Structure formats: structure tokens, C-alpha cells
Amino acid sequence: MPPTRTKRYTGCWTCKARAIKCDENKPSCINCRFSGNSCEGFGVKLSWQNNSKGRPQFDKTRSLVLNKWGECDLLNDSQVELFLSSIDSASRFITSDGKECRYGPFRVFSLKEPAKNFVDKKLKVMSLLGPHVGKDVESLLFDFWDHHLCKFMVPVNDEKINPYRMVMQTIQDHSIPSEVRNAVLHSVYATCSSFLAISKEHMQPGSWYQDIDFKEYWKVHKRKAMDHVSIAYLRKASYSPADLGLLAAAISFLLTIDIFHISEEWQIHFRGALSTLKTMNQLGYGTDAMDPSVYFAQLIKLTYLFSTLHIYQDDVCNKYISVVDLDCIQFDVIHETESLMYRNTGVTESMIRCLAEIVKYLQLGETIKSIHEIEMDIELCQPQQLFEGCESRNSLIVYHQSMMFHIAMKLLFMREVKNRSPFELQDLATNGIEHIKADNDITTGSNGFGLLWPFFVISCETTSASKQQILQSFLEPYKSYSGTSMQRATRIIYAVWEKRKNGGNVSWIDVVRELDPTILLS
């Protein structure tokens, strides 16, 4: 009898999918280079096995098998099923014959990975259209983005520095991978249709929008956006930093949709976004102050810091990604006040780094820097006073937004790190309200809206009844926008004010954890 052999496969995953022998040349095998295929490497992959009775049939490959969740996992079974089903649907294609075929970043659930030529063919035939034949609605959505929504996303009115408009211009004027281009387009269409499905009766953008069921278009375009993001995510190691920035922008738009619809899928998108930023860091991203790729990368990082302040348990995102992981993502913009990030939000890279240090201290209890060093860094990144006689509307908006962010960050540091009573910080909170009022006076009548987080923090830390009444007048117009982050934030602000009556010293972070831990305050 011949000796029994154990079949082993040590070649690359691309050759395995093509069912050919691999020459195992590393880092990229010769077969893949000659055939023009992207070599998917030789590493171990995860595969999911159903936790059913009986002995599981393990695949004799390099796959690691996840067979069950341990007793110490933070999520219960229903939460696990919820997120796994979300991941599953994010990477699913339906073939023309109606059979399901899966391909995406979460392929740990795939039984068999399709060959690359199938995916390329799928990309070519996948339409940019929504649920109906004809491009009439997509044209309206593009027009709504260009003339309305991209302006609403930022408080300034300079079209030349609007990053949302610049992204669309980039995919039109430059040669980029088709899956990245389609991911951006579908995520834009999904964002517009999602926003119109919720808010069109308040915005009244035009009578031609009123008779369209935008919920239908939102679901179709979001699904297509997630399909293309899944493919692009797999190929991210072969992209340029600029292409990865566009992919980060598409994921950022999906996060915006999650904010509109109070969806917990944002945790999945965050993991993909942060992984994309890490790949950008490995490849070496540019430091062009006017690069929209850097803008969206910074915005995702900033939004993660906002969310991780008050979510640290029972959370898929923070279970696998710590604020320490952000240390490798640094954007050394030489002239911070010339960056798109500052000119659209009033936030500099120095401020983002200071906020990261505060979050590290609150999450881990210790940082490389001492409390005194963090406090000094906060003082050093205070916005410079505008020169006398400055009449630029955009410059005034950016300055007041910047001061609001800096004051909110200082309030957070004094309250949560130095444990000061809110009643000791009312001069600082009053200063923040003055900048809120000034910003509101300048932006009255425009569609632009700045960051919600600084407004939220300043409002929560205000204890004076008269000052609370002033802030309440700014919150009232948003009551009718049911389900939005602004309405959810308003509920928390009022709850903090109620708990602070009679000298209470409650932390707004604790109130968020109690009432609405999944809120995104970006």
C-alpha cells in the first residue's frame, strides 16, 4: 500500500481560485504577473463554520476556522447575528440566473470565492441606474448634490474649496479604478436619495422632486455602493493614496446615510474606513493641503474620536479597533490653516491630535504625555485672532467654528480629565455661546451646517437658565427633523440640563451612554 498523503496547498490564493499550480514566488507569483491577475498572497484567511451538532468538516487549506463565540465576548447572540447579517449583505451579488454569489471584504462567510474575471465582468455590466430604466432620477440626484447637498455639508460658501464638490470633479476628470469611481457615484446617489427621503418636505428643493419615492432609490444605490466598496476594499493594496482617499470618501458618505437613518451599520463601515486609512499610511499619502482625499481621511478620524468618547463596551468597532490604532494615521499638513479641513470645519490637525490624546486618557487612563503636556498642547492649538477689519464671510465662519471646537475640547478636558465642576467653567461655556451666536448670525439664510459635536458639548456644559434659553432657540428649528442626530442630541442636552438642576454634577458622556449610546455626533 502506498503511504497516505495529506494534501496541502501553499500557493497563492489567486492560483488556488484558478485551479492551477502556483510557482510560489513571493511576494507576487510569476503566474499572476504573466496573466495580469492581482496576486492575493499566501497568508492565512478566516472561514466561518456553522456551530451545528456533529463534527465540522474543516477545509484542508490554510484557512482558520471560527467555530463559536467565547463566553467572554462582549456581544450577545442576537447582536452577533445582527452584525453578521449586515456584513453578509454588504458583500453579496446576485447573478443573472438568480443564484447568489458572494464576494467582498467579509468573505469569511463565502463558501467559494469567484474567479477574478467574473468580478471584472460584473463590474462592466453593473448599471449606475436605480430601480427604474432611464437616468432621469439619477440626473436629479446629481443636480441636487451639486446645487444643494454638497453646500449643506459645509458652512462656507466657496465652491472652489468644497471637498464634496471636489470629489465628484476628481472622478470625472481623472483616471481612477472603475470600482472606486462607481463606489463614489452610488454612495453619492444613495446619500442624496436618503436625505430627500427624510427631509424633502422641509427643504422644498423643487416641485420635480416631490412625486418620487426616494426610499426605493436610497436602498438600491446604497446596496450597489456597498458592492463596489467591497470590491475596492479587497484591492486597496494596489491603489494609489489618492484612490484610497476617494474610497474613504465613499465610506464617509455611507456613514452619513447611517447618521440619517440611525443605523448601527456605521460600526462596520468605520472598521473598513480605518483599515483603508492604515493602508494609505503604509503607501505614503500626500500632504497637499487642498487634497480632498486628506480631508475625508481626517474627517473619518475625527468622527471616530467623537464616537469613541462615549462608546467603549458592547461595540463591534471599539472591540477590534482602539484609539491607539489611530497613532499611525498622521497628516503632516505644513500650513494647517490652508487645509481643506480647516477651511471647511475650522479644525486643524493639531486639534485632532489633542482630542486623540484626551480620548486615550479617558479610555486607557494613561498616555505617553502627561496631563500638563496635554493641557499645554490644547493652549498651543488655540485659533489665532482674526486681523482687524477682516470682512471675508468665509473667514469669519471658519474662525467662529474653530473657536467653538477649541472651547468644546477644552471643556471636555477640564470636566472629564481634570474633574472640574461644570459650575466652575461657565465663563468658558459663555465664551463658546458667543461664538455660536456670531456663527449663527453670519450663516442665517444659508444651507451650510458646521460640526455638531462642539455645539453639543458647549450646550451640555451650560448651567445658566438664561444661557440655556438662548441655546434652546437654536435647537427649536430642528425638532421637525425626526430621527436625525440633531434631534437625538437635543434630547440628550435637555436630559443633562434636567439632571444638573439643584447643583447636579452629571457627566454628559454618562447620559449619552444611558440614553443613546449609538449616536454619531459628527
Side-chain angles (χ1 to χ4, degrees):
M1 294 289 291
T4 303
R5 286 186 170 184
T6 300
K7 184 178 179 181
R8 301 182 64 189
Y9 192 90
T10 56
C12 77
W13 291 97
T14 305
C15 288
K16 176 177 172 60
R18 297 175 64 199
I20 63 174
K21 185 176 180 180
C22 181
D23 54 79
E24 300 187 30
N25 186 70
K26 299 179 181 180
S28 176
C29 75
I30 297 174
N31 282 347
C32 290
R33 289 208 297 269
F34 278 123
S35 63
N37 291 315
S38 175
C39 186
E40 294 189 14
F42 304 83
V44 174
K45 294 185 179 182
L46 298 175
S47 64
W48 190 268
Q49 290 287 350
N50 186 20
N51 192 19
S52 57
K53 294 182 178 179
R55 184 178 179 181
Q57 297 299 313
F58 297 112
D59 186 16
K60 295 178 180 179
T61 67
R62 287 158 291 147
S63 299
L64 292 179
V65 178
L66 301 180
N67 200 45
K68 63 179 180 179
W69 293 85
E71 293 179 355
C72 297
D73 282 318
L74 297 177
L75 300 175
N76 59 41
D77 290 341
S78 61
Q79 289 173 310
V80 171
E81 289 301 321
L82 170 65
F83 286 111
L84 295 191
S85 62
S86 298
I87 293 174
D88 218 9
S89 63
S91 55
R92 179 181 299 140
F93 284 106
I94 305 297
T95 58
S96 57
D97 58 1
K99 295 181 179 179
E100 184 178 297
C101 184
R102 297 175 183 177
Y103 187 87
F106 310 103
R107 57 184 172 183
V108 294
F109 309 102
S110 300
L111 300 178
K112 184 177 179 181
E113 181 180 318
K116 180 178 181 294
N117 59 355
F118 169 81
V119 179
D120 289 339
K121 182 178 179 181
K122 193 71 179 175
L123 278 174
K124 292 177 182 177
V125 301
M126 185 170 287
S127 170
L128 289 174
L129 301 182
H132 303 297
V133 177
K135 294 186 177 181
D136 293 343
V137 175
E138 277 67 26
S139 297
L140 285 176
L141 292 174
F142 190 93
D143 179 77
F144 179 72
W145 174 271
D146 197 47
H147 292 94
H148 298 283
L149 195 54
C150 72
K151 297 178 181 179
F152 182 80
M153 296 291 198
V154 294
V156 297
N157 61 357
D158 189 340
E159 295 181 0
K160 294 181 180 179
I161 64 169
N162 188 309
Y164 298 89
R165 177 165 284 173
M166 292 171 72
V167 163
M168 294 297 286
Q169 196 66 43
T170 299
I171 66 171
Q172 293 178 70
D173 297 345
H174 296 81
S175 177
I176 59 174
S178 59
E179 59 270 22
V180 175
R181 173 182 175 273
N182 289 342
V184 173
L185 281 174
H186 281 298
S187 60
V188 165
Y189 290 150
T191 304
C192 291
S193 52
S194 172
F195 190 85
L196 285 167
I198 294 176
S199 308
K200 67 178 182 179
E201 65 273 15
H202 303 292
M203 293 193 62
Q204 299 178 348
S207 58
W208 50 89
Y209 291 95
Q210 300 303 318
D211 298 327
I212 301 172
D213 182 7
F214 286 106
K215 290 183 180 179
E216 189 179 12
Y217 282 84
W218 153 55
K219 293 177 181 178
V220 168
H221 283 298
K222 182 186 177 184
R223 178 62 172 273
K224 289 186 176 182
M226 293 174 75
D227 285 343
H228 288 294
V229 166
S230 292
I231 296 171
Y233 182 88
L234 270 182
R235 301 177 179 176
K236 64 182 185 296
S238 63
Y239 294 153
S240 69
D243 294 336
L244 288 170
L246 292 172
L247 176 59
I251 299 175
S252 176
F253 299 154
L254 290 174
L255 284 171
T256 302
I257 297 172
D258 293 338
I259 294 172
F260 289 161
H261 292 275
I262 323 177
S263 168
E264 293 184 349
E265 290 179 9
W266 67 267
Q267 298 178 82
I268 298 170
H269 297 150
F270 253 137
R271 292 173 63 186
L274 292 177
S275 178
T276 301
L277 297 190
K278 289 181 181 179
T279 305
M280 284 179 68
N281 177 70
Q282 294 166 1
L283 296 176
Y285 41 73
T287 56
D288 183 357
M290 298 298 287
D291 186 350
S293 300
V294 175
Y295 170 85
F296 284 104
Q298 288 176 304
L299 189 63
I300 288 172
K301 181 177 175 180
L302 186 59
T303 307
Y304 178 83
L305 290 172
F306 294 156
S307 68
T308 200
L309 273 170
H310 52 79
I311 301 180
Y312 66 101
Q313 292 178 340
D314 294 338
D315 172 45
V316 168
C317 186
N318 290 335
K319 183 179 177 183
Y320 296 101
I321 300 173
S322 165
V323 66
V324 178
D325 294 326
L326 299 177
D327 287 341
C328 71
I329 307 168
Q330 301 288 346
F331 298 90
D332 294 317
V333 180
I334 298 174
H335 302 291
E336 291 190 314
T337 56
E338 294 300 317
S339 69
L340 279 177
M341 189 66 181
Y342 177 78
R343 295 173 70 175
N344 283 279
T345 65
V347 181
T348 64
E349 179 64 22
S350 297
M351 292 182 185
I352 297 176
R353 292 176 186 175
C354 283
L355 183 59
E357 291 298 324
I358 296 174
V359 174
K360 281 184 202 175
Y361 185 87
L362 295 178
Q363 281 198 337
L364 307 177
E366 58 182 15
T367 63
I368 296 176
K369 294 185 176 182
S370 66
I371 293 179
H372 177 71
E373 288 175 317
I374 297 175
E375 189 169 13
M376 290 298 296
D377 287 342
I378 293 174
E379 294 299 330
L380 288 174
C381 71
Q382 180 171 334
Q384 298 295 317
Q385 290 286 342
L386 288 176
F387 60 87
E388 188 175 353
C390 176
E391 297 179 355
S392 168
R393 180 175 181 271
N394 286 349
S395 296
L396 290 171
I397 293 172
V398 169
Y399 170 71
H400 291 299
Q401 294 273 346
S402 186
M403 284 299 300
M404 287 162 57
F405 186 91
H406 186 266
I407 290 170
M409 184 168 60
K410 197 168 181 178
L411 284 169
L412 174 70
F413 176 80
M414 300 300 288
R415 283 281 294 122
E416 303 297 335
V417 177
K418 301 196 76 173
N419 297 316
R420 295 282 183 85
S421 164
F423 303 96
E424 298 178 56
L425 304 174
Q426 288 315 290
D427 288 344
L428 190 58
T430 299
N431 189 12
I433 294 173
E434 292 302 317
H435 288 286
I436 292 174
K437 289 169 60 179
D439 177 71
N440 184 74
D441 291 340
I442 298 169
T443 56
T444 297
S446 66
N447 290 328
F449 189 81
L451 293 175
L452 170 58
W453 185 80
F455 177 89
F456 172 85
V457 175
I458 292 170
S459 298
C460 284
E461 299 301 349
T462 299
T463 60
S464 165
S466 59
K467 297 295 192 301
Q468 289 175 356
Q469 193 171 4
I470 294 172
L471 293 167
Q472 190 172 355
S473 66
F474 297 138
L475 295 169
E476 285 298 319
Y478 297 96
K479 275 190 173 181
S480 57
Y481 289 82
S482 59
T484 64
S485 283
M486 176 61 87
Q487 189 186 58
R488 296 166 74 190
T490 301
R491 174 171 171 253
I492 294 169
I493 291 170
Y494 289 163
V496 173
W497 288 351
E498 184 65 29
K499 291 176 181 289
R500 289 267 180 84
K501 286 182 178 179
N502 303 319
N505 196 24
V506 66
S507 164
W508 64 263
I509 296 179
D510 291 337
V511 176
V512 171
R513 287 170 180 160
E514 176 189 346
L515 297 182
D516 199 350
T518 62
I519 188 172
L520 278 173
L521 293 170
S522 57

